[in-house]
Structures are given as C-alpha cells and as structure tokens.
C-alpha cells in the first residue's frame, strides 16, 4: 500500500459543518422557537405592564427614573437582549447532551480543527438564537409602535453578539459539567443574577456601590446599554465604553471556550 | 510503510478515582488483518480502544497508530482512522444522509466526493432506502451498520469497532459480520473488541485475550485453542470427585474442577482418553452421571487461563448493560 496523503478538513469546512448541523437541528425542532421566546415575553408583559401601572401616578416624573423613557420602552431593549442571551446560554447545554448521547466522541475523533468546530457550533446556535431575537424584536416593536429600521437592525446586531458571548459562556460551563442537572443549577445561580444586574429591569446608576461594581463586570450590562442606545439614543455608560465592554467580554469568552474545547478528552 | 498499523507499548490508564482500567498492554496489529480484543466486560477493552483512537488520554505508555503517536500527533491519527464506538455516536435528530455529510465534512472529504460516496456506502450496508430517514426511527442494528458506513467515508487505514454486535439480534449480527468481512477483502485493517468468543473466533485473524487490564494471551484462534492442548472432556460423577480428579491429574492430564462440580480434563485426543478415564471411575466405584467432550473453544481458552468462564463474565456484563439501559430510560 502506497503512502497516502490523509484527508484533512479546512477550518472553514469544519466550521460550516457544525453550523449546518445546528441549523438543521433547529429546523427539526421548531417548538424550541416558541419555547425560547415565551419566557422573555411573559416577563415583558407582566413585569413591564405591571410596573408601568405602578408608575402611572408619577406621571411624566417616571421618565426621570428611566433615562427619559417610559418603563416599557426602557424594558424592551433589555428583553430583546435577554432573549438572545438566554437562548445562547442554554444552547451551550447542547454539548452536554452531545456528551450524554455520545455525539461528542464523534466530533472529538475527527481530525478537524477544534477551534473551528466549536466556533462553528456557537455560530450556528447564535443564528438560531438571532431568529428568536428577531421575532421578539418585531413583536415588541409592533407593541410599542417602534418603527426605526436602523434601530431595529442595530439592536439585533447587539443581541446577536451578546448571544455569541453567552453561548461561549454556557458551552464552557457545560464542558466542565458531567450532568445536565448540574448545568441547570449553574444556570439559575449565574444567569438570574446576570440578568438582574444588567440594567435590563432597573437603571444601574442609583444602585449601591457593590452592586454597581458587579454590574460593571457583567458582560450583559454592556449589551443592554448598547441595545438601549441604538434604539432610543439614551445611555448611562458612554456608548464607546459599552462597545469596548461588549467586544472585550465576547472576545474573552470565545477565547476561553476555544481553549477549553481544544483540551477536551472523553476521559 | 511499516508492516504494523498499530503498535501499542505498555499502555496504561488510571481513571480519576484510582481505577486502573488498563495495566500496561503491548501488542502489534499487522496491516490488513482483523485483530480482536477478547475479554469480559470491564477488562479494559474500551479504554484501550479509546486510547488508540485519541479520545482517552493514556496515563503512560505509547501507541503508534497509522504511523503517528496518539498523544503527540492525535490529529494525524484521527485523519487516518475510522471509529465505531460501543454506544451510538449519532445525532438522532438528523437523517442518515445528514449524519454522514457532517462526518465527511469534518473529516475533510470534498463535497463532490460525498455526494457519490454516501449513497454507495449506504448501499454497501443495505440502508440506501432509508437514506433520508431520521435516525430516531432506526433500529439498533441499522444504527450499527450506518455507523460502520459512516466511519468509512474518509477511507481510513484502520477501522476501530468497539463491540460491533453488542445488543443485536442474530440476523443483525450476521449482517454486521458480513460487512466486516467485506472490509477485510478491501484491505482495511480492522481492530475490534468483543466479549463474544464466537465473534472473535469467526472474524479475527489474531486475538488478544484481555482480562483485568492485562493481555493474558495472544495468537490466532487456532494457536490459542491449541494452548488448551487438544480436546476437553467434561465428566460429572457421584461421590468423591476431588480424589478422582487428583488421580487423573497424576496421569499427566490437566484437570480442573468447575464451580458446579463438573470436572474438565484437557487431553490430546478425547476418543482415546475416554475409556481410560471411565475405567478409572469404575475402579473407584464412582457413578458417572454426565460425560461429554468438546473441541476447545475460546471460552475454554479463557477458562484455562483464568479459571473463570467468559460466559459467566458475560452474564455479569449483560446485567450491567441492563442497568445502563434503565438509567438511560429514566433520563
């Protein structure tokens, strides 16, 4: 037998293969779309309308609390980001199921570039999450009578980048876990504080210092800030800082997951 | 290119928690042969296969697979092997075609080749009709065959099969065996693990018998069986079996009393030895209640080497599998 040059996939092809897989899986399970937007929608409707009603006696004074917006306007960008952030985070759980059902081995035993594989997977997940985010955005825009197309396009961009960051974070955590049960515990311990400290539901500025400090190391804060900036041109953190914060946190989280995945063995 | 496709030297794996699954195994697999790891469940077969296929990191020792070191050059190894793990590693939400397409892409097979090769391979394993069926509707045997077909997409030098027919019904097993034999004809080297002695006997050119993480014998099925030394006579008597067995041993026959009182005697030629044995029993006034002889099977080899039957270990294994299934259901 002659020496044969073994086939090796280009990183691009491996990336494409994993994106393809995530998209096909998503289309095969359409019920997930409904699932992933119901929770944020409930939040928006009950929390949003509830507090709006509570603030009503204040009249226009309420706008002073919420950076010049009414509470629903204040809440909407946060809920959009929350949709994609949560969607991205839970998509990380996928690698845990892959371990459980053996598919992780199928990937690990391929000669493909690990960074390309995991980034392709995260990218594919982020696209499916973007679809969910877009549905949410259109629903909220219709509800609020928001019509600025640039604002909608930019808020989706922010929400998409935010989902990359959260998918990277969720995947990193999932790779360190052995059971889905453990993952759910971490989700609750980590995701809820991150959501509450992101400025999505209440402004960060008046918070006590220790909470404020936590908010500023929370990557989600920058996404929420930017989402509000691109939709309504209001902000409590200078937009340039938010861009830097979002870019840096996303970059770091992606680098961490690539490193983690490259070192993954079955045992 | 060398004669050996796999060369393992003193491979060892200690899992976190201190369980030493593989206690240093060394062996070589020749190009084009079917090489089998035969042993009971928990003997270290799957762990060894995991190390050879780069998904399990050896604690110590080395292995060269298809010319590359599994720890230093894992990617080069992965590019030259195909693997079918013991548990399915498929995406049930995707169709057979989609599973194979993704596998092909991450193994660097050009898309134009895939378009041709996927239907070809599915035809080889008799699944072309179900090419676009989602795998959640496949039976266990179909999944196995699909996985073998999938592992061949990148025309590997070595195909690794971990318990290729575990849990399959006889018909599905026969089909998988047929596929494996046809691979040998195509010149693919096959490394398989199994705890079925008939599978090892019928399929493998050479076999390593592994027990408690160590290789205890290696050779062709014939060589291994000749270790037992000809035929085995089983005899059961009423009365003092122990001293009867001792007297037989004094005549130079390897004798062993099994857990249920059956006496196993290794002889060169059973038809000639039987009269003598029966006369000895008569002299001792022992009533013979059962006597038969067999040509040795690999199970006898295992028994000969370990004092345990592979079949006993096998039922243990099945209990473990049943437990695993229940656990999986419960999720």
């Amino acid at each position: 037998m002659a020496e044969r040059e073994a086939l090796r996939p280009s990183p691009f092809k491996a990336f494409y293969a994993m994106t393809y897989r995530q998209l096909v899986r998503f289309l095969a399970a359409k019920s997930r779309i409904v699932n992933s937007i119901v929770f944020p929608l409930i939040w928006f409707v009950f929390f949003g309308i509830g507090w709006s009603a509570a603030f009503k006696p204040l009249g226009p004074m309420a706008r002073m609390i919420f950076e010049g917006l009414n509470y629903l306007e204040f809440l909407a960008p946060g809920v959009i980001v929350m949709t994609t952030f949560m969607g991205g985070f839970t998509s990380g759980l996928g690698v845990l199921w892959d371990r459980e059902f053996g598919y992780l081995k199928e990937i690990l035993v391929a000669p493909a570039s690990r960074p390309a594989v995991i980034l392709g997977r995260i990218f594919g997940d982020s696209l499916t999450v973007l679809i969910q985010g877009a549905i949410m955005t259109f629903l909220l825009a219709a509800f609020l009578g928001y019509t600025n197309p640039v604002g909608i396009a930019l808020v989706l961009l922010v929400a998409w980048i935010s989902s990359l960051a959260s998918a990277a974070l969720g995947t990193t955590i999932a790779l360190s876990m052995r059971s889905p049960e453990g993952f759910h515990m971490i989700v609750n311990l980590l995701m809820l504080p991150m959501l509450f400290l992101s400025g999505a539901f209440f402004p960060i500025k008046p918070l006590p210092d220790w909470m404020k400090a936590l908010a500023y190391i929370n990557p989600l804060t920058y996404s929420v800030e930017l989402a509000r900036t691109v939709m309504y041109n209001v902000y409590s953190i200078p937009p340039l800082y938010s861009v830097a914060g979002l870019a840096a946190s996303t970059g770091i989280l992606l680098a961490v997951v690539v490193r983690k995945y490259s070192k993954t063995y079955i045992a | 290119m060398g004669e050996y496709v796999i060369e393992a030297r003193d491979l060892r794996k200690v899992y976190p928690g201190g369980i030493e699954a593989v206690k240093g195994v060394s062996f070589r697999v020749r190009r084009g042969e079917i090489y089998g790891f035969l042993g009971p469940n928990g003997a270290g077969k799957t762990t060894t296969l995991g190390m050879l296929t780069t998904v399990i990191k050896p604690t110590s020792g080395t292995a060269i697979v298809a010319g590359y070191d599994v720890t230093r050059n894992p990617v080069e190894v992965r590019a030259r092997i195909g693997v079918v793990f013991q548990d399915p590693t498929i995406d049930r939400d995707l169709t057979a075609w989609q599973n194979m397409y993704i596998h092909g892409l991450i193994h660097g097979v050009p898309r134009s080749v895939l378009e041709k090769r996927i239907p070809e391979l599915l035809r080889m394993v008799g699944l072309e009709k179900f090419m676009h069926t989602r795998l959640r509707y496949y039976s266990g045997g179909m999944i196995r065959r699909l996985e073998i077909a999938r592992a061949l997409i990148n025309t590997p030098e070595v195909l690794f099969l971990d318990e290729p027919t575990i849990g399959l019904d006889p018909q599905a097993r026969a089909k998988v065996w047929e596929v494996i034999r046809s691979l040998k004809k195509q010149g693919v080297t096959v490394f398989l693990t199994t705890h079925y002695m008939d599978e090892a006997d019928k399929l493998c050119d050479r076999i390593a018998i592994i027990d408690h993480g160590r290789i205890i014998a290696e050779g062709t099925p014939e060589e291994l069986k000749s270790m037992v030394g000809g035929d085995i006579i089983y005899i059961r008597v009423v009365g003092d079996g122990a001293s009867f067995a001792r007297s037989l041993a004094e005549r130079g026959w390897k004798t062993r009393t099994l857990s249920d009182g059956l006496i196993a005697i290794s002889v060169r030629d059973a038809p000639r030895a039987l009269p003598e044995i029966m006369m000895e029993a008569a002299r001792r006034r022992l009533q013979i209640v059962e006597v038969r002889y067999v040509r040795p099977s690999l199970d006898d080899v295992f028994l000969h080497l370990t004092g345990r039957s592979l079949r006993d270990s096998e039922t243990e294994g099945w209990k473990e599998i049943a437990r695993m299934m229940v656990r999986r259901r419960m999720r």
Side-chain angles (χ1 to χ4, degrees):
Chain A
M1 206 159 148
E3 178 87 45
R4 180 174 54 86
E5 200 41 51
L7 294 165
R8 292 281 293 277
S10 68
F12 174 76
K13 213 183 233 172
F15 184 96
Y16 162 78
M18 295 325 287
T19 302
Y20 169 85
R21 171 177 180 232
Q22 295 313 112
L23 291 178
V24 174
R25 278 181 67 86
F26 180 72
L27 295 176
K30 294 186 196 71
S31 62
R32 251 184 283 166
I33 309 180
V34 180
N35 210 359
S36 61
I37 62 174
V38 162
F39 181 68
L41 204 60
I42 288 176
W43 203 271
F44 182 79
V45 170
F46 293 104
F47 202 79
I49 295 177
W51 279 110
S52 287
F55 292 131
K56 208 154 200 180
L58 292 178
M61 291 269 283
R63 286 179 182 266
M64 283 172 60
I65 308 173
F66 299 112
E67 295 169 10
L69 305 172
N70 74 37
Y71 187 62
L72 286 176
E73 288 168 339
F74 179 84
L75 191 60
V79 167
I80 293 167
V81 170
M82 172 178 161
T83 308
T84 57
F85 184 82
M86 281 182 17
F89 200 95
T90 44
S91 77
L93 187 58
V95 293
L96 208 65
W97 286 118
D98 277 0
R99 191 193 282 278
E100 201 69 6
F101 288 112
Y103 200 77
L104 186 63
K105 275 192 203 167
E106 153 75 358
I107 309 283
L108 294 187
V109 81
S113 140
R114 293 276 177 91
V117 164
I118 194 61
L119 291 176
R121 181 194 177 102
I122 287 174
F123 180 74
D125 279 332
S126 77
L127 290 185
T128 69
V129 168
L130 182 62
I131 296 170
Q132 299 157 28
I135 294 171
M136 179 60 82
T137 305
F138 295 138
L139 282 176
L140 297 191
F143 183 85
L144 295 169
Y146 185 90
T147 52
N148 178 5
V150 180
I152 288 179
L154 287 177
V155 81
L156 282 177
L157 178 68
V158 171
W160 176 68
I161 294 173
S162 175
S163 75
L164 288 177
S166 66
L169 179 62
T171 306
T172 305
I173 293 171
L175 284 173
S176 332
M177 300 259 131
R178 292 292 167 195
S179 76
E181 292 80 7
F183 186 84
H184 285 301
M185 194 192 73
I186 297 282
V187 167
N188 290 333
L189 273 178
L190 198 70
M191 211 162 67
L192 285 179
M194 282 178 84
L195 285 173
F196 283 125
L197 284 175
S198 67
F201 309 119
F202 43 79
I204 295 169
K205 242 187 203 159
L207 294 179
D209 282 345
W210 66 272
M211 262 174 105
K212 220 188 268 185
L214 287 175
Y216 286 139
I217 58 165
N218 178 2
L220 195 54
T221 304
Y222 303 101
S223 310
V224 170
E225 269 296 317
L226 269 182
R228 207 168 276 139
T229 308
V230 297
M231 278 184 84
Y232 293 109
N233 199 23
V234 294
Y235 46 84
S236 64
I237 301 171
L240 224 55
Y241 287 9
S242 292
V243 170
L246 181 59
S249 57
T250 307
I252 291 169
L253 288 169
L254 285 172
V256 169
V257 75
V258 162
R259 215 178 119 80
K260 177 89 188 159
Y261 197 70
S262 299
K263 286 205 235 158
T264 298
Y265 272 90
I266 290 294
Chain B
M1 241 189 216
E3 182 192 354
Y4 296 106
V5 193
I6 302 174
E7 292 183 66
R9 220 166 307 135
D10 212 19
L11 271 185
R12 240 178 101 240
K13 176 67 188 182
V14 183
Y15 284 107
I19 296 170
E20 191 173 4
V22 177
K23 296 171 182 161
V25 296
S26 305
F27 59 95
R28 296 195 285 191
V29 177
R30 291 198 191 96
R31 187 169 299 283
E33 75 178 344
I34 300 181
Y35 188 91
F37 248 38
L38 174 67
N41 289 78
K45 303 186 299 281
T46 298
T47 302
T48 306
L49 185 133
M51 292 191 282
L52 295 177
T53 56
T54 78
V55 293
I56 293 176
K57 206 180 197 163
T59 307
S60 65
T62 55
I64 310 290
V65 174
Y68 291 90
D69 187 303
V70 292
T71 41
R72 256 174 279 161
N73 267 316
V75 179
E76 295 296 338
V77 172
R78 287 177 205 140
R80 289 165 175 82
I81 62 174
V83 191
V84 179
F85 292 104
Q86 186 168 334
D87 296 320
T89 60
I90 45 154
D91 189 331
R92 280 164 210 279
D93 292 328
L94 304 186
T95 66
W97 190 90
Q98 286 164 343
N99 266 284
M100 292 187 77
Y101 181 66
I102 292 169
H103 185 92
L105 288 178
I106 59 177
H107 282 81
V109 184
R111 246 169 277 188
S112 54
V113 176
L114 286 178
E115 301 284 345
K116 246 184 52 207
R117 212 160 149 69
I118 292 174
E120 264 173 31
L121 286 168
L122 285 174
R123 199 169 309 124
M124 182 188 92
V125 296
L127 289 172
E128 73 275 28
K129 264 190 262 163
F130 310 103
M131 187 151 77
H132 297 294
T133 306
R134 279 210 236 156
L135 298 191
R136 61 174 67 246
Y137 307 114
Y138 267 44
S139 71
M142 289 163 81
I143 286 177
R144 238 18 351 200
R145 282 183 280 146
L146 169 77
E147 287 191 289
I148 295 177
R150 186 180 64 173
L152 294 171
I153 279 192
N154 59 335
T155 50
E157 287 180 41
V158 204
L159 181 65
F160 289 89
L161 302 168
D162 195 2
E163 296 278 5
T165 64
I166 197 168
L168 300 189
D169 61 55
Q171 267 173 306
R173 279 184 93 193
K175 275 190 187 163
V176 169
W177 285 359
E178 205 179 293
V179 172
I180 295 173
R181 286 204 189 95
S182 75
L183 293 178
K184 183 182 157 67
K185 284 192 197 115
Q186 294 165 40
V188 182
T189 309
V190 178
F191 177 98
L192 64 84
T193 75
T194 183
H195 67 279
Y196 298 120
M197 54 204 164
D198 57 331
E199 183 161 280
D201 200 352
K202 284 187 189 135
L203 279 179
C204 297
D205 298 309
R206 287 196 308 135
I207 297 166
I209 297 183
I210 180 167
D211 190 37
H212 296 309
R214 285 202 176 88
I215 292 178
I216 53 176
E218 195 198 27
T220 66
E222 286 317 310
E223 282 167 4
L224 289 172
K225 285 183 228 166
S226 69
M227 285 175 66
V228 185
D231 301 334
I232 300 170
I233 295 169
Y234 290 103
I235 188 163
R236 193 193 302 279
V237 295
V238 178
D240 188 0
S243 67
F244 176 54
R246 261 197 307 280
S247 74
L248 294 175
E250 275 159 22
R251 288 165 190 254
W253 288 316
K254 205 168 258 173
T255 307
R256 192 186 290 275
T257 307
L258 305 186
S259 47
D260 58 352
L262 202 61
I263 299 167
I265 311 145
S266 306
V267 297
R268 184 137 305 145
D269 188 5
R272 277 170 192 280
L274 263 174
E276 203 178 323
I277 290 170
M278 290 166 88
M279 267 162 69
E280 173 68 22
R283 196 160 53 231
R284 291 172 169 266
R285 304 195 184 286
L286 294 170
Q287 191 196 343
I288 299 170
V289 289
E290 180 185 346
V291 62
R292 63 194 154 91
Y293 79 89
V294 290
R295 321 257 359 153
S297 69
L298 288 174
D299 190 35
D300 299 310
V301 179
F302 190 79
L303 184 71
H304 172 80
L305 291 167
T306 65
R308 302 192 327 275
S309 164
L310 196 54
R311 279 204 196 89
D312 297 342
S313 318
E314 190 173 303
T315 47
E316 280 305 302
W318 276 108
K319 275 183 221 152
E320 176 57 27
I321 288 164
R323 271 198 294 274
M324 261 166 55
M325 302 277 234
V326 171
R327 256 181 272 147
R328 206 142 269 189
R329 277 297 134 67
M330 276 159 60
R331 283 215 174 90

